[in-house]
Amino acid sequence: MNKVVANADEAIRDIKDGMTLLLGGFGLCGIPENCIAALVRKNVRDLTCVSNNAGVDGFGLGLLLQKKQIRKMISSYVGENAEFERQMLSGELQVDLIPQGTLATRCLASGYGMPAIFTPAGVGTEVAEGKEIRNFNGKDYLLEYAFDADFAMVKAWKGDTHGNLIFKATSRNFNPLMAMAGKITIAEVEHLVPAGELDPNEIHTPGIYIQRIFQGAAYEKRIEQLTVQKRN
Amino acid sequence: MLDKNGIAKRIAKELKDGYYVNLGIGIPTLVANYIPKGMNVVLQSENGLLGMGPFPFEGEEDPDLINAGKQTITTVPGSAFFDSAMSFGMIRSGKVNLTILGAMEVDENGDIANWKIPGKMVKGMGGAMDLVASAKNIIVAMQHVNKAGESKLLPKCTLPLTGIRCVKKIVTELAVLDVMESGGFRLLERAPGVSVDHIVKSTAGRLLVEGEIPEMQID
């Protein structure tokens, strides 16, 4: 078993134009910074990116948007990003906005080997347009399909050479779900250790879901909204 | 008439010991400041935390620990982290006891619009559609009228909907109202110094006013 690659560039070597990518993170928290930087360097284009948010100007997925590498974004909340807004309003960028729980559960379904889910989110709204509705126990639910993505890119706190992952605090968010949902999943980690060093009781994502793992470098971990209180 | 903090204070009176509560962005966030002393309420942040604490002290912020508004926060004793699917799982399965969120419009049927203004920048629904579709107990914190003085409590929402038949209770700067099973708003309380007549004039949707309407008790 050899899942360890040297760096992000090697991990994403076979990502091609037009592919669909799942990217973990919530806002700028827990995003695969190294993989995003490598995608910018590789200059792959016409990407469909599934991620809860779309980064900010100059960071996160904002870096890919800046170079017009993304053709379509599937997200639940966007618009902390002037370039995103410009591309969306001009029609250069397709944007599919979907409920956050639907986004998460469509990943989960994929990783659990289920083709679709039924969710009440969006019933009676424009999200439901064109979708199958089923009534269970007197309540309507929308049929939503599992994601079918070429690659997933996730960021974990610790990982081992078998691909087992542990996430820290709320940087977990979409990462374990997207990790399960990629045909090929790349994990970048702050601390890569030999198999056996992580306590099996504490693993969040079992290594079977991870095909490539590498020790990340130079994490910026930008804070989007710094809120603090003063000491008395 | 109440200010934003007044609305939050009134909503805090709806909290009960042992409640798991999801607070939306804006006025709902302020409710956290008015949880009665000694009451154990656990705040859920849908990005993956139960037991949201106050903002960190300067210098102690952790970029890996944020709330759904992307603000740096802290945990409290008894906190737990989880992924986004489980987060919405506990919302959909009705484990979260109370959801408090803002709105641009609500209507007589309990429909709510709070995510999109066509023609303007569209930011997305985030978790709002999941929350309103599932929560059994939703309180809306909102302004009764817009800046032009027009009612935001309508016969029918005009903006794109977030969810249908979901709003149970509304707290505004003027009043506390509920949405009746059969449709229509019912006036429950008026804000200090606000007349029933003022509330009637500020409510475009059907409004039931029955008997004496008490003044809100806030402090």
Side-chain angles (χ1 to χ4, degrees):
Chain A
M1 185 177 312
N2 189 14
K3 297 185 177 185
V4 179
V5 294
N7 52 40
D9 296 295
E10 191 187 334
I12 67 147
R13 61 190 181 267
D14 45 359
I15 293 184
K16 296 188 174 62
D17 291 357
M19 282 186 166
T20 296
L21 314 179
L22 303 171
L23 297 110
F26 185 100
L28 301 178
C29 182
I31 59 173
E33 292 183 22
N34 286 207
C35 283
I36 292 170
L39 290 169
V40 172
R41 281 193 293 274
K42 190 170 162 69
N43 199 26
V44 280
R45 311 191 73 81
D46 292 321
L47 299 171
T48 293
C49 291
V50 182
S51 186
N52 188 54
N53 313 89
V56 297
D57 285 310
F59 200 60
L61 288 177
L63 295 166
L64 290 174
L65 286 162
Q66 225 162 37
K67 288 188 67 191
K68 301 193 172 71
Q69 291 172 255
I70 303 177
R71 179 174 51 84
K72 182 177 182 182
M73 242 355 273
I74 301 175
S75 300
S76 87
Y77 192 85
V78 296
E80 313 291 352
N81 189 326
E83 178 60 15
F84 182 96
E85 183 172 346
R86 192 197 64 71
Q87 290 184 23
M88 180 166 114
L89 294 174
S90 71
E92 290 165 59
L93 178 69
Q94 294 174 44
V95 179
D96 203 353
L97 293 169
I98 65 176
Q100 196 173 123
T102 301
L103 176 54
T105 316
R106 287 174 66 189
C107 293
L108 185 80
S110 182
Y112 276 28
M114 299 185 295
I117 58 158
F118 283 101
T119 176
V123 168
T125 76
E126 62 183 52
V127 166
E129 283 168 21
K131 289 178 184 160
E132 185 182 334
I133 291 176
R134 281 271 295 273
N135 190 286
F136 297 94
N137 304 318
K139 184 169 172 168
D140 285 339
Y141 294 81
L142 296 183
L143 178 75
E144 298 274 9
Y145 293 99
F147 283 116
D148 180 21
D150 300 295
F151 279 85
M153 275 158 254
V154 302
K155 151 82 197 324
W157 179 35
K158 297 176 185 173
D160 70 18
T161 50
H162 280 197
N164 296 306
L165 303 179
I166 297 175
F167 302 91
K168 187 179 155 221
T170 55
S171 73
R172 192 183 315 185
N173 56 63
F174 286 85
N175 281 302
L177 309 166
M178 292 186 165
M180 292 192 299
K183 286 195 186 79
I184 296 174
T185 292
I186 299 165
E188 56 174 86
V189 298
E190 285 179 61
H191 305 282
L192 181 63
V193 299
E197 285 202 10
L198 299 179
D199 180 347
N201 286 301
E202 292 178 358
I203 303 296
H204 295 131
T205 295
I208 192 167
Y209 286 116
I210 308 301
Q211 281 68 47
R212 300 173 192 169
I213 188 166
F214 66 92
Q215 167 71 56
Y219 283 104
E220 273 191 58
K221 293 198 186 182
R222 283 198 206 172
I223 290 173
E224 215 164 324
Q225 306 278 346
L226 178 63
T227 44
V228 294
Q229 53 176 321
K230 291 213 185 300
R231 280 173 202 283
N232 293 332
Chain B
M1 198 176 299
L2 301 176
D3 61 8
K4 288 179 179 180
N5 284 297
I7 294 174
K9 272 188 196 173
R10 174 60 191 82
I11 291 175
K13 299 229 170 244
E14 304 283 326
L15 300 171
K16 292 196 171 74
D17 193 57
Y19 260 18
Y20 291 95
V21 180
N22 182 287
L23 301 177
I25 293 165
I27 300 173
T29 306
L30 300 173
V31 174
N33 300 331
Y34 303 108
I35 297 170
K37 286 264 177 299
M39 185 183 282
N40 203 347
V41 168
V42 180
L43 300 178
Q44 197 245 21
S45 191
E46 66 266 25
N47 58 318
L49 169 62
L50 274 170
M52 177 166 57
F55 295 147
F57 289 116
E58 279 176 299
E60 293 181 0
E61 64 274 8
D62 177 356
D64 290 325
L65 180 48
I66 62 169
N67 64 16
K70 290 147 195 157
Q71 298 171 312
T72 47
I73 46 153
T74 56
T75 54
V76 295
S79 284
F81 297 117
F82 37 85
D83 67 55
S84 300
M86 186 177 284
S87 181
F88 285 95
M90 58 186 75
I91 289 165
R92 275 196 301 268
S93 60
K95 306 293 184 195
V96 175
N97 303 96
L98 176 62
T99 291
I100 302 168
L101 75 178
M104 299 171 186
E105 296 177 345
V106 294
D107 73 24
E108 294 175 4
N109 299 318
D111 295 359
I112 179 170
N114 72 353
W115 75 283
K116 182 177 184 181
I117 303 175
K120 293 204 178 172
M121 176 56 192
V122 175
K123 290 186 183 256
M125 66 290 281
M129 284 192 181
D130 306 273
L131 282 159
V132 301
S134 303
K136 291 193 184 74
N137 195 3
I138 297 178
I139 299 179
V140 171
M142 67 186 293
Q143 301 296 326
H144 212 106
V145 295
N146 64 19
K147 289 196 180 93
E150 296 158 340
S151 180
K152 294 161 73 166
L153 279 64
L154 303 171
K156 190 111 197 73
C157 288
T158 62
L159 293 168
L161 294 176
T162 309
I164 55 171
R165 298 178 191 284
C166 54
V167 176
K168 301 285 187 288
K169 201 168 218 177
I170 303 158
V171 180
T172 75
E173 76 280 21
L174 303 180
V176 179
L177 314 93
D178 66 0
V179 178
M180 295 182 288
E181 278 292 318
S182 54
F185 302 107
R186 176 168 56 186
L187 183 57
L188 300 176
E189 299 171 22
R190 54 197 174 76
V194 173
S195 68
V196 169
D197 191 48
H198 184 170
I199 297 163
V200 170
K201 285 192 176 122
S202 305
T203 308
R206 202 148 38 89
L207 176 65
L208 179 69
V209 182
E210 242 175 358
E212 276 296 301
I213 304 299
E215 195 168 277
M216 286 180 211
Q217 301 298 312
I218 292 191
D219 293 305

